[in-house]
Amino acid sequence: MSTEAEPSSDALKEHRDSVEHPLYQLFMRYGHGNRKWFAAGVVSSTLARFLSLVPPVLLGVAIDSIFADARPFTLPYVPQAWLPGAETAQFWFAVGLMAVAMVGSAFLNFARQSTMNLFSHRVKHEVRTATYQQMQRLDMDFFNEMQTGELMSILSNDTNRLEQFLDNMMGNAIQLGVLMLGTAAILFWMNWQLALVTLVVVPLAAAFTYWFMRLAEERYADVRQSVGDLNSRLENNLNGIQVIKASNTESYEDERVRDHSYTYFRLDWLALRLNFIYRPGLQALTSLAFIATFVVGGIWILEGAPGPLSGSLTVGELTTFLLLTQRLVNPLAQMGNIVDRYEDAKASTTRILGLMNMPVSITDAPDAEELTDVEGHVVYDDVSFGYDEDADPTEYVLRDVDFEVEPGETVGLVGPTGAGKTTILKLLLRLYDVNEGAIRVDGHDVRDVTLSSLRNSMGYVGQDNFLFDGTVADNIRYGSFDADRDAVVEAAEQAQAHEFITQMPESYDTDIGERGVKLSGGQRQRVAIARTILQDPPILVFDEATSAVDTETEMLIQRSIDELAADRTTFIIAHRLSTVRDADTILVVEGGEVVERGDHEELLEEDGLYANLWRVQAGEIEDLPEEFVEEASRRVAQQALDAAEDG
């Protein structure tokens, strides 16, 4: 029977699909403390683009009023009383106003970039840290399903793409909106008929952009997913590089990476190809607006109002129209970049919020108490459990597990692989919650106490303990960060680790590399035990702590465990039965049930599963009952089938 959780591969996708208006949601969640910077950026963008419209208007007015004397010196929406009357004064007024507008626009663009970049980087920081905090609090089922590379893609690539959009494209979008509205207002003020000719491109560009966005949304979602898949493959291969080299499978892994990379290339190319149509098409539309304005305006000046148009048009007015239209061409053509970045950021934000919306079931109860002064009295009261919260009782991986451990006792858990031993202790750590029954520590249901106080009361040493990149001392001190060097050394001595540590190049200050790669398996185990000793927990959990080391190292680790467990409640999971031979109580687990219990001698006399497992390890294969051999063969076959299904 497999004790692994059945992963729901669609869980994260379902939460992503439920996200509506992702960028708006993200802004409302993480923009609160930074809205002043966003507001400053919006105001700066608006004023900068408004000032950029002043020089073309002044130039057109100067041509008609000062140089051609074709009309009075007037400015849009400016009272006539504010304007000078003499031509020379009007000239210098126009020059000064142009200079003020240009310098002011440059200053405001600097302010826009500074404030919008500060806003975007602050939001990126908050999003990344909030996403990481959420990730740490998610249930273990989530990590059974998700690959590390996919999570790294969300934390790194997706947050970076969000920041790129907030940095520049959002400011550009605001400026484009101001430019279009301001230009339209000025053009309609000057000549509403020619303005219609110039601005007819805007609804066409809007329709073209809508078509692009509908196609681009799905393609960018696929691209972001493919990035996560590629990162997962690369991360897996880098972690497994030793196995790849030892197995001589470099060419096989080359092909797998090539397949993932080609998938990313193909999807990214499809998105880019859509851009190759959209951007030149939008540029062509905006260029047509300039050409149409020049043709209609030129005919109007040379031959009079063409077709249904009426009235007059001056050279200065046409100049202003052409300058403003030309200023529309590049920003409108840049709409492709804005939409492109928007869709990319939208896809990334959807992935981020999909993760943020994942429910967390293992949380503190509203009235949870602190677990203090722990003595180590542990009770399993008819505990049944299935990895699926709504699992049918027939699918439970644990059924009616019932036992009691007095403070200071040592309990061994043994049984075939996949019997449920590790799951029993995962429930004690509350990595999962029971479906039926209860687990109590010192009379408190573990669901009624805070997670932090529960886990602070326990020390865990597994088969493959994770060590962080850093020094030996840093890893021993992890979780007891205020411990001094003397306490670190004392913990290492109790863990039988001091001797090999002092033989290292820089002793306790030696850097052990990522995941402790510079240490042997037994050395990593003893450092992990030293870390647990320093934390001084009242309850200890050892999960196959000696199964992957040689006999001499096992002896050293066993001495460490015996010393550490002398006056603490201790749980030891072991395949090597010699590890638990001296335990006060041994629980034999099979098929999710405790089928035998007692000390070593009592279980041998019972001549059941434990006795047969002891014969296997003692090499007495010929004395094994045939039914035990057949059951073992069936279990091994089932484990292979489960592994194939998981793969």
Side-chain angles (χ1 to χ4, degrees), residues 322-339:
L322 292 175
L323 288 173
L324 291 179
T325 304
Q326 184 61 42
R327 294 204 173 193
L328 274 178
V329 170
N330 288 333
L332 275 176
Q334 288 299 313
M335 188 186 293
N337 287 332
I338 295 172
V339 174

mmCIF file of all heavy atoms in Angstrom, residues 322-339:
data_model
loop_
_atom_site.group_PDB
_atom_site.id
_atom_site.type_symbol
_atom_site.label_atom_id
_atom_site.label_comp_id
_atom_site.label_asym_id
_atom_site.label_seq_id
_atom_site.Cartn_x
_atom_site.Cartn_y
_atom_site.Cartn_z
ATOM 1 N N LEU A 322 0.308 68.332 -38.548
ATOM 2 C CA LEU A 322 1.314 67.349 -38.967
ATOM 3 C C LEU A 322 2.265 67.008 -37.819
ATOM 4 O O LEU A 322 2.636 65.838 -37.633
ATOM 5 C CB LEU A 322 2.097 67.894 -40.166
ATOM 6 C CG LEU A 322 1.300 68.024 -41.476
ATOM 7 C CD1 LEU A 322 2.143 68.677 -42.556
ATOM 8 C CD2 LEU A 322 0.798 66.659 -41.937
ATOM 9 N N LEU A 323 2.651 68.020 -37.059
ATOM 10 C CA LEU A 323 3.550 67.753 -35.934
ATOM 11 C C LEU A 323 2.872 66.867 -34.878
ATOM 12 O O LEU A 323 3.476 65.922 -34.357
ATOM 13 C CB LEU A 323 4.005 69.066 -35.309
ATOM 14 C CG LEU A 323 5.007 69.888 -36.129
ATOM 15 C CD1 LEU A 323 5.251 71.241 -35.469
ATOM 16 C CD2 LEU A 323 6.323 69.136 -36.277
ATOM 17 N N LEU A 324 1.633 67.188 -34.555
ATOM 18 C CA LEU A 324 0.916 66.389 -33.558
ATOM 19 C C LEU A 324 0.611 64.989 -34.072
ATOM 20 O O LEU A 324 0.666 64.008 -33.319
ATOM 21 C CB LEU A 324 -0.371 67.100 -33.139
ATOM 22 C CG LEU A 324 -0.189 68.391 -32.329
ATOM 23 C CD1 LEU A 324 -1.546 69.009 -31.994
ATOM 24 C CD2 LEU A 324 0.569 68.109 -31.032
ATOM 25 N N THR A 325 0.279 64.899 -35.369
ATOM 26 C CA THR A 325 0.029 63.575 -35.949
ATOM 27 C C THR A 325 1.301 62.743 -35.934
ATOM 28 O O THR A 325 1.274 61.540 -35.631
ATOM 29 C CB THR A 325 -0.497 63.708 -37.384
ATOM 30 O OG1 THR A 325 -1.670 64.525 -37.386
ATOM 31 C CG2 THR A 325 -0.833 62.338 -37.963
ATOM 32 N N GLN A 326 2.437 63.392 -36.269
ATOM 33 C CA GLN A 326 3.708 62.677 -36.237
ATOM 34 C C GLN A 326 4.029 62.202 -34.819
ATOM 35 O O GLN A 326 4.576 61.120 -34.625
ATOM 36 C CB GLN A 326 4.829 63.580 -36.751
ATOM 37 C CG GLN A 326 6.184 62.895 -36.849
ATOM 38 C CD GLN A 326 6.165 61.712 -37.809
ATOM 39 O OE1 GLN A 326 5.571 61.784 -38.881
ATOM 40 N NE2 GLN A 326 6.791 60.614 -37.425
ATOM 41 N N ARG A 327 3.654 63.015 -33.842
ATOM 42 C CA ARG A 327 3.885 62.608 -32.458
ATOM 43 C C ARG A 327 2.981 61.449 -32.044
ATOM 44 O O ARG A 327 3.286 60.743 -31.091
ATOM 45 C CB ARG A 327 3.664 63.793 -31.523
ATOM 46 C CG ARG A 327 4.675 64.885 -31.724
ATOM 47 C CD ARG A 327 4.853 65.752 -30.521
ATOM 48 N NE ARG A 327 5.958 66.676 -30.715
ATOM 49 C CZ ARG A 327 6.506 67.387 -29.745
ATOM 50 N NH1 ARG A 327 6.054 67.256 -28.516
ATOM 51 N NH2 ARG A 327 7.505 68.201 -29.988
ATOM 52 N N LEU A 328 1.877 61.270 -32.742
ATOM 53 C CA LEU A 328 1.007 60.127 -32.463
ATOM 54 C C LEU A 328 1.549 58.837 -33.057
ATOM 55 O O LEU A 328 1.278 57.748 -32.545
ATOM 56 C CB LEU A 328 -0.394 60.377 -33.035
ATOM 57 C CG LEU A 328 -1.399 61.141 -32.172
ATOM 58 C CD1 LEU A 328 -2.696 61.307 -32.947
ATOM 59 C CD2 LEU A 328 -1.662 60.416 -30.867
ATOM 60 N N VAL A 329 2.317 58.964 -34.164
ATOM 61 C CA VAL A 329 2.729 57.770 -34.901
ATOM 62 C C VAL A 329 3.557 56.838 -34.029
ATOM 63 O O VAL A 329 3.234 55.651 -33.857
ATOM 64 C CB VAL A 329 3.512 58.163 -36.180
ATOM 65 C CG1 VAL A 329 4.150 56.921 -36.812
ATOM 66 C CG2 VAL A 329 2.591 58.845 -37.174
ATOM 67 N N ASN A 330 4.654 57.358 -33.448
ATOM 68 C CA ASN A 330 5.530 56.483 -32.660
ATOM 69 C C ASN A 330 4.860 55.936 -31.398
ATOM 70 O O ASN A 330 4.941 54.736 -31.122
ATOM 71 C CB ASN A 330 6.820 57.223 -32.309
ATOM 72 C CG ASN A 330 7.717 57.399 -33.515
ATOM 73 O OD1 ASN A 330 7.672 56.599 -34.453
ATOM 74 N ND2 ASN A 330 8.522 58.452 -33.513
ATOM 75 N N PRO A 331 4.169 56.795 -30.600
ATOM 76 C CA PRO A 331 3.494 56.225 -29.422
ATOM 77 C C PRO A 331 2.432 55.191 -29.776
ATOM 78 O O PRO A 331 2.307 54.166 -29.099
ATOM 79 C CB PRO A 331 2.870 57.453 -28.753
ATOM 80 C CG PRO A 331 3.718 58.596 -29.185
ATOM 81 C CD PRO A 331 4.124 58.270 -30.583
ATOM 82 N N LEU A 332 1.663 55.440 -30.840
ATOM 83 C CA LEU A 332 0.663 54.447 -31.232
ATOM 84 C C LEU A 332 1.330 53.164 -31.705
ATOM 85 O O LEU A 332 0.850 52.060 -31.430
ATOM 86 C CB LEU A 332 -0.245 55.007 -32.324
ATOM 87 C CG LEU A 332 -1.441 55.840 -31.856
ATOM 88 C CD1 LEU A 332 -2.188 56.409 -33.046
ATOM 89 C CD2 LEU A 332 -2.374 55.016 -30.991
ATOM 90 N N ALA A 333 2.435 53.322 -32.406
ATOM 91 C CA ALA A 333 3.166 52.128 -32.834
ATOM 92 C C ALA A 333 3.722 51.369 -31.631
ATOM 93 O O ALA A 333 3.863 50.144 -31.664
ATOM 94 C CB ALA A 333 4.298 52.516 -33.781
ATOM 95 N N GLN A 334 4.037 52.116 -30.551
ATOM 96 C CA GLN A 334 4.524 51.475 -29.342
ATOM 97 C C GLN A 334 3.415 50.785 -28.551
ATOM 98 O O GLN A 334 3.691 50.109 -27.567
ATOM 99 C CB GLN A 334 5.207 52.510 -28.449
ATOM 100 C CG GLN A 334 6.548 52.993 -28.978
ATOM 101 C CD GLN A 334 7.552 51.868 -29.095
ATOM 102 O OE1 GLN A 334 7.713 51.069 -28.175
ATOM 103 N NE2 GLN A 334 8.220 51.782 -30.226
ATOM 104 N N MET A 335 2.170 51.000 -28.971
ATOM 105 C CA MET A 335 1.070 50.317 -28.295
ATOM 106 C C MET A 335 1.275 48.805 -28.335
ATOM 107 O O MET A 335 0.872 48.082 -27.423
ATOM 108 C CB MET A 335 -0.269 50.687 -28.935
ATOM 109 C CG MET A 335 -1.477 50.161 -28.156
ATOM 110 S SD MET A 335 -3.039 50.464 -29.001
ATOM 111 C CE MET A 335 -3.110 52.246 -28.926
ATOM 112 N N GLY A 336 1.917 48.339 -29.414
ATOM 113 C CA GLY A 336 2.206 46.911 -29.500
ATOM 114 C C GLY A 336 3.067 46.444 -28.351
ATOM 115 O O GLY A 336 2.823 45.391 -27.748
ATOM 116 N N ASN A 337 4.112 47.231 -28.002
ATOM 117 C CA ASN A 337 4.958 46.886 -26.858
ATOM 118 C C ASN A 337 4.167 46.895 -25.561
ATOM 119 O O ASN A 337 4.340 46.035 -24.701
ATOM 120 C CB ASN A 337 6.117 47.881 -26.750
ATOM 121 C CG ASN A 337 7.156 47.673 -27.823
ATOM 122 O OD1 ASN A 337 7.325 46.572 -28.318
ATOM 123 N ND2 ASN A 337 7.834 48.749 -28.200
ATOM 124 N N ILE A 338 3.290 47.896 -25.430
ATOM 125 C CA ILE A 338 2.494 48.012 -24.206
ATOM 126 C C ILE A 338 1.579 46.803 -24.050
ATOM 127 O O ILE A 338 1.518 46.171 -22.986
ATOM 128 C CB ILE A 338 1.676 49.316 -24.231
ATOM 129 C CG1 ILE A 338 2.605 50.526 -24.214
ATOM 130 C CG2 ILE A 338 0.712 49.373 -23.039
ATOM 131 C CD1 ILE A 338 1.898 51.853 -24.427
ATOM 132 N N VAL A 339 0.865 46.478 -25.124
ATOM 133 C CA VAL A 339 -0.049 45.336 -25.067
ATOM 134 C C VAL A 339 0.724 44.039 -24.871
ATOM 135 O O VAL A 339 0.314 43.141 -24.114
ATOM 136 C CB VAL A 339 -0.914 45.281 -26.337
ATOM 137 C CG1 VAL A 339 -1.768 44.020 -26.355
ATOM 138 C CG2 VAL A 339 -1.791 46.516 -26.426
#
